[in-house]
Amino acid sequence: RTLASPAKISGRGLFTGASVTATIHPAESGSGITFRRADMPGSEPIPAHVDHVVARPRRTALQVGDAVIETVEHCLSGLAGLGVDNALIEVDGPELPAGDGSAMPFVTAVENAGLVEQDAPRDPLVVTEPVTLREGDAMIAAFPNGGAGMDVLYDLDFGGSSVIGRQIHAFTLEPRSY
């Protein structure tokens, strides 16, 4: 699945405060999600792949060569939630617009642009056995699920001394409910 036409999102970057525009373009089947720095002519495309993740506090950044794209997580969430497999995101600065701090600006822009089904079969990531990752007090676990969606249980707990109380939310994530 890809976009029927380009979608544009403009605003300020969360960490740089710079004005930035991201344009999400339709892409060919099998190309995946790729970013390109429009303000860096000749820079290599940056595939949205774990091999290109660079360490940053409180955000996700991708890098190939000198080109870095910061705060990609909300855009990627919106595309995944809408079932978009193939897109090229051109950004005229070092990070995507923050919008309201959610994926909603990206979701709205993509929905307004429309979606088209492509002829290639989807190659989904399927969890076939439990996987757990831990870092300090943080943990994420994934378990096999025979359903069409993904069941999520989110437990946020910074401990008894935090001003933010424990929060728990459970839901099934699927494209029609995203």
Side-chain angles (χ1 to χ4, degrees), residues 28-43:
E28 295 296 319
S29 293
S31 62
I33 307 295
T34 304
F35 291 88
R36 183 170 42 209
R37 287 283 300 270
D39 63 324
M40 295 177 68
S43 64

Side-chain angles (χ1 to χ4, degrees), residues 7-169:
K8 192 173 281 195
I9 303 97
S10 296
R12 294 209 170 271
L14 180 63
F15 291 91
T16 65
S19 291
V20 63
T21 297
T23 305
I24 307 172
H25 297 276
E28 295 296 319
S29 293
S31 62
I33 307 295
T34 304
F35 291 88
R36 183 170 42 209
R37 287 283 300 270
D39 63 324
M40 295 177 68
S43 64
E44 293 184 52
I46 307 170
H49 190 276
V50 68
D51 291 343
H52 302 292
V53 173
V54 291
R56 296 288 195 270
R58 301 182 323 272
R59 64 187 178 279
T60 303
L62 300 170
Q63 180 173 8
V64 169
D66 292 334
V68 179
I69 302 284
E70 307 272 351
T71 60
V72 299
E73 58 272 21
H74 297 141
C75 176
L76 291 175
S77 173
L79 293 175
L82 294 172
V84 174
D85 304 293
N86 304 296
L88 169 64
I89 301 105
E90 288 187 317
V91 185
D92 66 359
E95 67 179 317
L96 276 85
D100 64 359
S102 76
M104 188 56 74
F106 298 98
V107 169
T108 300
V110 169
E111 286 180 329
N112 289 338
L115 295 169
V116 294
E117 299 297 324
Q118 295 177 298
D119 58 3
R122 179 174 265 163
D123 186 19
L125 174 65
V126 178
V127 177
T128 58
E129 61 186 54
V131 178
T132 304
L133 300 170
R134 292 180 184 270
E135 184 175 314
D137 291 339
M139 190 259 309
I140 187 168
F143 300 94
N145 176 3
M150 177 174 72
D151 294 326
V152 177
L153 172 64
Y154 186 79
D155 184 352
L156 177 71
D157 187 357
F158 292 113
S161 61
S162 175
V163 297
I164 300 172
R166 184 175 187 194
Q167 300 173 43
I168 299 174
H169 186 69

